[in-house]
Each structure stands twice: as C-alpha cells, then as structure tokens.
Amino acid sequence: MTAHTATAARVRTGGPKDEGPQILEHVMGWTLVVVVAMLVVQLGLL
C-alpha cells in the first residue's frame, strides 16, 4: 500500500472542508487583525 492509497482510504472526521465561504473567513480574519491592532495602540503597548 502506498502513501497515496493510505491517505485516500481515510475517513473524513468532520474537520474543516475545502469548499465554503472563504471570502468570509478572510474578511473575519482581517477584521480580527485590525481589532487587535487597535487594542494594542489604545493600551499603549506599541
């Protein structure tokens, strides 16, 4: 059995899927970055 067939035989366990609203994930990620940056600046940690 090769490595490719071993991974192909695995069962999906409900983890993150490849399809989905990727643009929403990017927007939420950048929003979190901006919020953390604003918090750091407001607290004077930078």
Side-chain angles (χ1 to χ4, degrees):
M1 180 181 278
T2 64
H4 178 67
T5 55
T7 45
R10 289 186 188 164
V11 177
R12 298 276 310 187
T13 58
K17 295 178 176 56
D18 293 330
E19 67 276 352
Q22 293 182 354
I23 186 71
L24 180 62
E25 291 178 13
H26 286 293
V27 169
M28 293 302 290
W30 280 109
T31 303
L32 179 63
V33 168
V34 170
V35 168
V36 169
M38 288 172 25
L39 180 66
V40 167
V41 170
Q42 284 290 338
L43 293 176
L45 300 175
L46 185 62

